[in-house]
Amino acid sequence: MKTPTFVVFWCGRVVSLLGDMLFSMATMWYVLGETHSTLSTAGVVLIPLLTQLLVSQAFATLADRLSKKAAMVGSDVFRGLVVLIVGMLMALHHAGTLGIYMASFLLTMAGFLFGPPQNAALPKMLSDPERQMPKANSVLSATSNITNLTGYAVGGMIVAVVHPVNAVFLDGLSFLLSATSIAILRVSTIRSKGQRGALGFIKDSLAGIRFIWERPALRTFGLYVTLINFVVGPVGILSVVFSRVVLHAGLRGYGFLEASWAVGGVVGAVVSSWASKRFRMWQLLLMGLVGSGVALTSMPVFANLPESIFALVIASVVITLMNIPFFTALQLLAPDEIRGRVMAAFGLFAGVGDPLGLFVGSWLMGRVSPSTVFLSSGLLVVVCGIVGVCFPVIRKGETQFASRQQSDSSKIAESTQL
């Protein structure tokens, strides 16, 4: 936080995150009021998840070919204009559910022009990336979780006080403020030249996936992330069912469960830098999976709200301790020219598990008790943690990567004609 460039970047992210929550809450409220359908309202959230699976790699490739600053500023300006147009249409009662869906789709695609350059440019904003990156990612992760913890409460009050339409206008302004904060920064202009033609673009799009897949430890971690998101994803999303059916705590209990996950994320982010210096990656993996699995398993066993809150806090802490160091290591390992595509490719591994897990988890909860689903999910995560660290590729992978990083960067640069 003593680095001026990072502080300006961080402030812009805070404003943008709060704006995103305002838009999500306001548009979901608008769609619910227009359609009186929970399924139609859920579409506002589902569209970004599905869009990620379809276009994330292509847009990450495009973003790598652009100036990092130009991509981020252009993305924020475009999203700000889209949101302001939506606000005007809502004020005139001409937005419609389809219009909200289209806006959500466009905003998600434009977001893919922001995320990869952000991941690629962040190390270049710091004077000592090797030392500062773990702390920078911890700050960004803690900020995101604090926003999740307090943002909906603040956003709810804003939407209630200023009206959903005005909240959407505020979100549009937040994007423009974010664009302004980035425009004044000195951001690296590193970009990928790329191969010519449609076939060359496809090959470039696969560079991030190929980078991960050709490295056994990264590939294994990626597949593990897919599996864990598939297993754990429904637990976080369908905790409202657990609160209502198992705990009999209603919406109040659901709110506490959601808040406890965010609190754990903040705590995990604060101590992650300390933990990454004292534990190896496979040890953090073991702690993260076994710890979160045991915590999830305890929820249906004790079946009371205080214990469930404590369990979710612990699960979130240990998962964050595992995620941030790995995310940082991946950022530092990936060559500058394809870092955006590498991070997007790893996000694709995570993105595949979420919707599949949500679908299967919803189906299972309709046929067996939610307690059984939570108990099974927790036990599976514990098994994954214990079995995973038995593989040498997990325990030794990080040291192999460190010694091969330089040669790997040269190899990738040649193969993708950067």
Side-chain angles (χ1 to χ4, degrees), residues 15-27:
V15 172
S16 185
L17 285 171
L18 290 173
D20 286 344
M21 285 194 170
L22 282 177
F23 182 80
S24 177
M25 296 180 72
T27 51

Side-chain angles (χ1 to χ4, degrees), residues 159-336:
V159 170
V161 172
V162 305
H163 193 271
V165 173
N166 293 328
V168 171
F169 282 124
L170 287 176
D171 178 39
L173 294 177
S174 76
F175 278 117
L176 299 182
L177 286 174
S178 175
T180 302
S181 70
I182 296 170
I184 64 177
L185 297 178
R186 296 183 62 183
V187 181
S188 170
T189 57
I190 293 177
R191 66 180 75 181
S192 167
K193 183 179 179 181
Q195 302 182 65
R196 295 181 178 180
L199 183 59
F201 186 85
I202 294 174
K203 290 180 179 180
D204 285 346
S205 297
L206 297 176
I209 297 176
R210 186 168 63 249
F211 182 88
I212 293 174
W213 198 257
E214 290 177 349
R215 292 153 181 80
L218 281 182
R219 180 174 66 242
T220 304
F221 269 112
L223 294 175
Y224 256 69
V225 166
T226 302
L227 176 61
I228 299 307
N229 278 23
F230 173 77
V231 173
V232 181
V235 173
I237 298 173
L238 300 176
S239 55
V240 62
V241 179
F242 188 83
S243 175
R244 179 175 181 177
V245 177
V246 179
L247 301 180
H248 304 290
L251 288 174
R252 173 175 171 271
Y254 174 53
F256 278 120
L257 294 180
E258 290 293 295
S260 62
W261 187 265
V263 168
V266 173
V267 175
V270 170
V271 301
S272 65
S273 182
W274 170 86
S276 64
K277 297 176 183 177
R278 288 160 177 80
F279 300 98
R280 296 182 62 186
M281 192 69 68
W282 70 267
Q283 294 171 323
L284 293 173
L285 174 71
L286 181 64
M287 288 189 292
L289 296 185
V290 174
S292 61
V294 171
L296 294 176
T297 302
S298 70
M299 291 175 63
V301 172
F302 292 95
N304 64 75
L305 183 58
E307 194 282 333
S308 295
I309 291 174
F310 178 75
L312 281 183
V313 169
I314 296 300
S316 182
V317 168
V318 293
I319 286 293
T320 305
L321 288 179
M322 176 183 71
N323 285 343
I324 292 181
F326 179 77
F327 186 81
T328 301
L330 190 60
Q331 281 179 307
L332 294 174
L333 176 63
D336 292 337

Side-chain angles (χ1 to χ4, degrees), residues 114-134:
F114 186 96
Q118 172 186 299
N119 290 323
L122 183 57
K124 300 298 181 181
M125 296 182 186
L126 305 172
S127 58
D128 186 359
E130 293 284 344
R131 182 178 61 86
Q132 294 176 319
M133 276 295 292

Side-chain angles (χ1 to χ4, degrees), residues 47-49 51-52 79 103-113:
I47 285 176
L49 292 176
T51 305
Q52 178 183 3
R79 287 185 288 177
S104 181
F105 175 71
L106 292 174
L107 291 172
T108 303
M109 289 200 301
F112 293 134
L113 285 180

